[in-house]
Amino acid sequence: MKYPTTLLLALAFAASAAIASAATASDNWDNNCTKCHGADGKGLTKIGKKLNLKDYTDAAVQAKMTDEEMTKAITDGVSDNGKEKMKSFKDDLSAAEIKDLVAYVRKFKA
Ligand code: HEC
C-alpha cells in the first residue's frame, strides 16, 4: 500500500510531539525534584532522609494524597511551622508542567 507523504509527515510529527511532552515531565523531575525526592520517587536522598520524605512508590502514600494537594504543594511549596521545606515552583514551572508532574509522581506507584 502507498501512503501520501503528507500523511507520513503528519504521523512522524505527532509521534515526536508525544515523545517531547513525555520527556518534559521527566526532565522537570530530574532538574527540580530528584535532589530531594530521588529519581525513583522514594525520597531516599541525603536531603530526602533528613526531611523525612514520603515514598511515592508506596500505594498507601499515594492513596492519601489528592491531585489537588499535590498540585498545591508543587505550586505554592510546603512549609512546616512557617519554615519552608519545599519551595514554590510557580515561578519556574507552568501550570501545565505542574499538572504533568502530578501525573509523573502518580506513576511511581508500584
Ligand atoms: C528541598 C527538597 C524538595 C524539593 C527540591 C522538592 N520537594 Fe517535594 N516535598 C518536599 C517536602 C519536605 C515535602 C513534604 C513532606 C512529604 O510530603 O514527604 C514535599 C512534598 C511534596 C509533595 C506531596 C504533597 C502532599 O500532598 O503530600 C509532592 C507531590 C511533591 N513534593 C512534589 C515535588 C515535585 C514535583 C518537585 C519538583 C518540581 C519537588 N517536590 C521538589 C521537599 C522537596
Side-chain angles (χ1 to χ4, degrees):
M1 210 188 291
K2 200 168 180 300
Y3 295 105
T5 316
T6 44
L7 176 65
L8 289 175
L9 280 175
L11 284 173
F13 181 75
S16 68
I19 291 163
S21 77
T24 302
S26 129
D27 282 351
N28 282 335
W29 178 261
D30 288 348
N31 294 333
N32 301 293
C33 325
T34 48
K35 168 165 73 104
C36 295
H37 291 283
D40 58 4
K42 290 189 179 178
L44 293 174
T45 61
K46 212 170 158 200
I47 310 177
K49 282 187 198 156
K50 213 178 272 173
L51 290 168
N52 201 13
L53 292 193
K54 294 174 186 166
D55 176 358
Y56 295 143
T57 65
D58 184 336
V61 165
Q62 288 270 357
K64 279 199 207 120
M65 304 188 291
T66 65
D67 285 3
E68 288 71 33
E69 287 165 346
M70 294 167 73
T71 306
K72 194 177 180 316
I74 304 167
T75 309
D76 298 328
V78 179
S79 15
D80 187 25
N81 281 325
K83 201 173 172 292
E84 184 185 276
K85 292 177 80 189
M86 170 174 151
K87 72 168 207 151
S88 154
F89 284 94
K90 64 168 170 269
D91 295 333
D92 306 307
L93 304 168
S94 71
E97 285 174 313
I98 291 173
K99 188 165 177 268
D100 285 349
L101 276 170
V102 169
Y104 189 81
V105 170
R106 288 293 188 203
K107 287 201 197 113
F108 288 122
K109 188 170 103 174

